[in-house]
Each structure stands twice: as C-alpha cells, then as structure tokens.
Amino acid sequence: MRVAVLGAGRVGSVMAADLAADGAFEVTVADWDPGALERLHAVPAHHRVEADLSDAAAVRELARQHELVIGAVPASLGYGIVEAALEAG
C-alpha cells in the first residue's frame, strides 16, 4: 500500500519510520523543511518530498499518488490538509 505521511516532525517522522519498518507499506514523507526530511533515514531518499503543505494543490497531487494519506502537520494546517485530500479522492 502506498502511504503518504504529510509532515516530518516529531510525530510524522515516527509514524513514517514505523510504517517503513513494517515492510508492507511504500512510504512517502512530505515536508517543507529539507532538514527534517534528511533526518528520516528509515525512508529512502527518493520517497522524501519537499513540499509546501499549506498549498492545497501540492497536497492534492500527493494524495492522488497514494492510497492512504496521514496528516502529521501543525493544527493550523490540519483542516486544509483534510479538505485537499478529500478533494483528491
């Protein structure tokens, strides 16, 4: 299953590492901070995406490419992430 974890901070990085370790998931992590993405050694570099998650179009594009989207962003971005993911189907 293709899973997108939106947010590579304290919560998102742990979720991504756990899912990647399971082996049943193809995990992609997106964040605006390249440093946070670089610290995610459990996720292959080609599955770390620098993206502005406050941009609904960017979130929709990520959501369309995955079967499951997990939001691990600050609360101020949460509602927009949900809206964009639902719009993507």
Side-chain angles (χ1 to χ4, degrees):
M1 174 183 283
R2 291 182 322 254
V3 179
V5 178
L6 306 182
R10 292 181 186 185
V11 174
S13 62
V14 172
M15 286 192 283
D18 283 349
L19 289 167
D22 183 274
F25 304 99
E26 180 183 318
V27 181
T28 298
V29 183
D31 200 286
W32 67 271
D33 180 4
L37 293 169
E38 190 64 34
R39 290 187 289 275
L40 286 171
H41 302 292
V43 177
H46 64 280
H47 285 282
R48 299 180 219 155
V49 178
E50 191 175 335
D52 177 1
L53 300 176
S54 67
D55 178 8
V59 174
R60 280 192 301 272
E61 181 61 29
L62 284 163
R64 285 186 188 108
Q65 298 171 17
H66 297 84
E67 297 165 282
L68 176 66
V69 177
I70 299 173
V73 296
S76 61
L77 297 177
Y79 187 77
I81 295 280
V82 171
E83 268 190 328
L86 288 173
E87 288 171 3

